[in-house]
Amino acid sequence: MPAYRKASIRSLILDAYRLDGHSLQGVLHRDPEDGQWMIGDQSLERWLARHEGEELALILLSMDDDRPLEKKVCRTCGREYRGAYCPHCREVRLRLRGE
């Protein structure tokens, strides 16, 4: 997988943490003993049960996907970038906010 794709995924994970969200990362598989879906060593069912009754947004991204991210042109500064957002404009926004 291209490094910029992994970096974009990791950036989304960090954004989720900043919003007091949660994430799991690991290989998706079934536990051979009880057949539960697992991500790494964490039971997906138990992990989701903590939020039963809540309205959620679930984002699933494969870390093994080899498709390249398409280049985009930022509507604000006109620079080309790959990923979810323009890194130049994001850096400027964070700096102006004092973060």
Side-chain angles (χ1 to χ4, degrees):
M1 170 190 298
Y4 53 82
R5 181 175 178 86
K6 278 190 178 183
S8 292
I9 291 172
R10 294 199 196 301
S11 178
L12 287 172
I13 291 170
L14 285 174
D15 288 344
Y17 280 119
R18 287 185 184 121
L19 294 170
D20 294 326
H22 306 280
S23 70
L24 285 177
Q25 184 176 338
V27 176
L28 177 66
H29 62 93
R30 283 195 184 266
D31 187 334
E33 295 176 9
D34 58 13
Q36 285 192 15
W37 285 107
M38 307 284 287
I39 295 182
D41 61 353
Q42 178 73 39
S43 165
L44 189 55
E45 187 174 331
R46 283 194 300 265
W47 188 74
L48 289 172
R50 295 185 297 178
H51 301 286
E52 187 173 355
E54 298 177 21
E55 183 177 358
L56 302 175
L58 181 64
I59 299 171
L60 180 69
L61 298 166
S62 174
M63 297 291 280
D64 294 330
D65 192 341
D66 287 337
R67 288 179 296 165
L69 294 176
E70 64 183 53
K71 278 188 178 180
K72 299 175 189 173
V73 175
C74 179
R75 294 181 181 179
T76 303
C77 69
R79 289 180 170 88
E80 287 188 346
Y81 67 97
R82 289 190 167 136
Y85 45 79
C86 173
H88 172 76
C89 290
R90 182 174 189 275
E91 181 182 319
V92 169
R93 276 193 308 274
L94 290 174
R95 188 176 67 241
L96 290 174
R97 291 180 188 158
E99 296 179 20

